[in-house]
Amino acid sequence: MKKPTIQVEEIEPRTIQRADVAPADGFTLVVDGHFKTRYESETAARAAGAELLNRFPMLQIRVYDAATRVRSPLQ
């Protein structure tokens, strides 16, 4: 039995986020020197970072602000 082929219009484009390139906007978690998840607000990024730090206390987590290009440590 033949498998159905995927039509081109069914495939959704993915937004690829590279861990070695700094994002252009928003706030991003930097975990052990690598860019991870992007957030729209600093409070959302800090909340996610705090939750991650509670689960894994050995990680070094910082919040990167793309507008000012500053990495601030999570307390």
Side-chain angles (χ1 to χ4, degrees), residues 18-19 42 51 62 67:
R18 293 182 47 183
E42 184 177 6
E51 191 254 319
R62 296 177 181 262

Side-chain angles (χ1 to χ4, degrees), residues 57-71:
M58 71 295 257
L59 294 178
Q60 293 180 355
I61 301 175
R62 296 177 181 262
V63 176
Y64 176 75
D65 183 4
T68 60
R69 296 184 178 178
V70 173
R71 297 177 192 195

Side-chain angles (χ1 to χ4, degrees), residues 5 7 18 32 39 41 46-47 54 57 66 74:
T5 59
Q7 300 297 325
R18 293 182 47 183
D32 289 339
Y39 297 93
S41 68
R46 288 198 176 274
N54 285 337
L74 199 65

Side-chain angles (χ1 to χ4, degrees), residues 15-42:
T15 56
I16 298 173
Q17 182 181 11
R18 293 182 47 183
D20 60 340
V21 177
D25 60 343
F27 296 88
T28 305
L29 285 181
V30 180
V31 180
D32 289 339
H34 297 280
F35 292 106
K36 297 296 181 180
T37 312
R38 183 184 165 281
Y39 297 93
E40 293 295 326
S41 68
E42 184 177 6

